[in-house]
Amino acid sequence: MANNIIVQLKLLPQRLLAIIIFLLIWEIVPWVGLADPSFVPPASATFARLWELLLSGTLLTQTSISLQRAFAGFAIAVVTGIPLGFLVGWFKTFEKYMDPLLQTFRQLPILALFPVFILLFGIGEISKIAMIALACFWSVFMNTASGVMTVDPLLVKSARSMGASHSDMFKKVVLPAAIPAIFTGVRFAGTVALLMLVAAEMVGASSGLGYFVLNAQQRYASRDIFAGIVALTLLGVIINYILVTIEKKATSWKEDIVHG
Amino acid sequence: MRKKWTIGGIISGTIYENIAQITPKNELNCQLLLIYIVSYMTRIIRETMTKIKAENIKKIFKIRSNGNSKNNGNTPNELLALGGVDLSINKGEFVSIVGPSGCGKSTFLDLVGGLSKPNEGNIYIDGKPVNGPGLDRGIVFQQYALFPWRTALGNVEFGLENQNVLKKERTEIAQKYLSLVGLAGFENRYPYELSGGMKQRVAIARALAYDPDILLMDEPFGALDAQTREILQRELLHIWEETHKTILFITHSIDEAVFLSDRVAIMTARPGVIKKEMAVPLSRPARFEDDIRTSQDFVKTRYELWGHLKEEVVKAQQICANTTANLSLEKPVTTLEKVMTT
């Protein structure tokens, strides 16, 4: 374990190199006049602003509001998407009837539904959470269903030959076999959640990071815009890191561990 | 009355004398009765000796034709995979089925395993008809079929879990069988950490762990390299001698069949039936000698078997060519449709 950490630390400069170069370019471009610093503030100014926002508490307030929305939508999607995915994947007839409808629904541009959601749920939290949940749902649901459908028939055969009952088959074969696909769906849903969050907060909200960025644009506060974007990106990186870690734990038996 | 001084002669002699005492009137009648009793007894003995009996097994597969009306007239929608297989295997016997690829060997094994049902005919195990899979039969597949999310030990424990064996005992049994196949110390490895040969060893241990009477092996060494295959063949012989299982072994290698089995059955090209059965005239100890594969008996048996198998292989290739010619008209349609719908 300790060894592992040392190896990781040794690799750190290598892994950070590209990011450092990117930050340097970002820093230099406004300084040498390739971009107008009042529209594109240099990296240092952006991070300085981010630090200010963190100290003043604005950043934490907005982030926690955003996170609550994203998490609520994401959680609803996971809790509904996984069981429904199993249902559709496991029961062939169900899948046969549902597939055309699902394929159509999947193509539904969810942002276009936002006005409908506002009509239905009002401008409050529910419409935003519903939108995030719906967008995340497809990713979780589709991946779960395909994971269940693509369970190696040979493994099912093998389990059957060893006297596995229906419930054993589900618990000991289908569920573990589908887990990698489920996690792919969940991880993607994490990305989608953040994307939809920003969209929803920009369209109709008076708080949250998405609103913060849009509001900053209206105030011509370019440093705030960039600070907000950096904050959102960091949030995405952290969420993805958490999900990848959980995924690695759950699929430690796999040869190739997916990097996020 | 002549008496033969053999064990059979003594037994039948006493039976004859007893019968003669009961009904002394007519010696001819007695003789007929004796013949009847002896034949009855041999039948009983044979039946109790028989472990697996397959009678006139037919299996039909439905071919999906995607509504291509042009082709419907020519290609049958049903494919007769097995055309009446008769085979019986004795307790503790090692029988191999060889045949050209696509002749239905694996289909037959699935039927014995209870994983699918024949359209006609019956399979009996210990005189009882097969009604689905059971723990009296262990199956070893060519592609190992190990659960990738379980360690070697976990895989071997799978069948035992379904028998409600306690956890501690399960681990002990699994460890015992893993060391039987030479994998002691590899208990906690996941399948991806094992070589092909090791995976198949785990699969064999898994099938043995719940102690089935019968081992069904579907080309178990087909995916292995030549050296590993030979090593595992020898080990299988050792395991067989230690555990006294009845083994039905599917292979396309005559060499493998001769080396391993007591009896080799040749299956014809589709529709598969048993064309010929041959006993292998090799003693058990002789098989562990280094030059066994070049010995006269071995070479002769192999040559004879190949003589029977050759024409089936040619036939199978023709069937294969015809089928692909017929299917090639349909294939692009199906794939296109798939692409469109997904």
Side-chain angles (χ1 to χ4, degrees), chain A residues 147 173-187 241-260, chain B residues 147-151 190-193:
Chain A
V173 183
V174 178
L175 190 62
I179 276 187
I182 294 174
F183 269 102
T184 309
V186 168
R187 208 152 46 80
Y241 178 79
I242 293 169
L243 291 174
V244 168
T245 310
I246 298 171
E247 185 179 8
K248 273 188 195 171
K249 278 258 150 47
T251 59
S252 57
W253 47 270
K254 272 187 86 182
E255 192 166 3
D256 302 306
I257 293 157
V258 191
H259 289 285
Chain B
F147 302 111
W149 51 86
R150 282 176 174 239
T151 58
Y190 283 101
Y192 80 87
E193 298 170 302

Side-chain angles (χ1 to χ4, degrees), chain B residues 117-129:
Chain B
K117 286 205 166 74
N119 296 79
E120 241 180 77
N122 268 315
I123 295 171
Y124 301 94
I125 286 171
D126 290 326
K128 287 179 217 109

Side-chain angles (χ1 to χ4, degrees), chain B residues 149-336:
Chain B
W149 51 86
R150 282 176 174 239
T151 58
L153 194 76
N155 264 289
V156 178
E157 283 182 19
F158 191 94
L160 298 166
E161 287 166 19
N162 302 328
Q163 272 184 322
N164 299 321
V165 182
L166 289 174
K167 172 74 190 146
K168 200 174 151 242
E169 213 178 317
R170 258 188 345 236
T171 311
E172 272 169 30
I173 297 171
Q175 266 164 347
K176 187 182 110 191
Y177 280 98
L178 276 176
S179 44
L180 178 73
V181 296
L183 282 182
F186 289 89
E187 287 87 353
N188 295 320
R189 299 285 188 95
Y190 283 101
Y192 80 87
E193 298 170 302
L194 301 171
S195 69
M198 287 164 138
K199 280 183 210 170
Q200 198 54 289
R201 282 164 200 253
V202 175
I204 292 171
R206 181 172 68 174
L208 289 169
Y210 50 90
D211 200 23
D213 293 342
I214 298 168
L215 215 49
L216 304 170
M217 307 184 91
D218 190 1
E219 299 200 31
F221 309 142
L224 303 176
D225 62 87
Q227 286 100 337
T228 313
R229 191 181 312 153
E230 250 178 62
I231 292 167
L232 277 184
Q233 283 169 356
R234 280 165 171 272
E235 281 184 23
L236 180 61
L237 280 186
H238 279 301
I239 289 168
W240 179 57
E241 280 183 349
E242 258 173 69
T243 56
H244 308 290
K245 305 282 177 206
T246 308
I247 301 185
L248 175 60
F249 193 96
I250 305 284
T251 178
H252 55 257
S253 155
I254 300 178
D255 200 82
E256 187 169 69
V258 175
F259 178 69
L260 291 171
S261 11
D262 296 316
R263 196 147 52 89
V264 181
I266 296 167
M267 202 178 248
T268 62
R270 213 170 55 217
V273 292
I274 300 295
K275 182 188 187 184
K276 171 96 185 158
E277 287 177 45
M278 268 180 76
V280 178
L282 295 173
S283 74
R284 285 291 148 194
R287 294 176 198 235
F288 290 108
E289 283 163 21
D290 283 336
D291 54 351
I292 180 69
R293 284 175 208 257
T294 50
S295 75
Q296 213 186 347
D297 282 335
F298 192 99
V299 174
K300 216 180 112 202
T301 318
R302 196 175 56 182
Y303 180 76
E304 258 179 75
L305 278 168
W306 174 237
H308 292 297
L309 189 59
K310 202 161 48 184
E311 50 184 295
E312 299 307 325
V313 173
V314 175
K315 240 188 272 171
Q317 274 168 347
Q318 279 166 357
I319 292 171
C320 192
N322 287 342
T323 325
T324 40
N326 281 336
L327 285 180
S328 62
L329 277 171
E330 289 176 26
K331 242 180 190 168
V333 182
T334 44
T335 42
L336 246 184

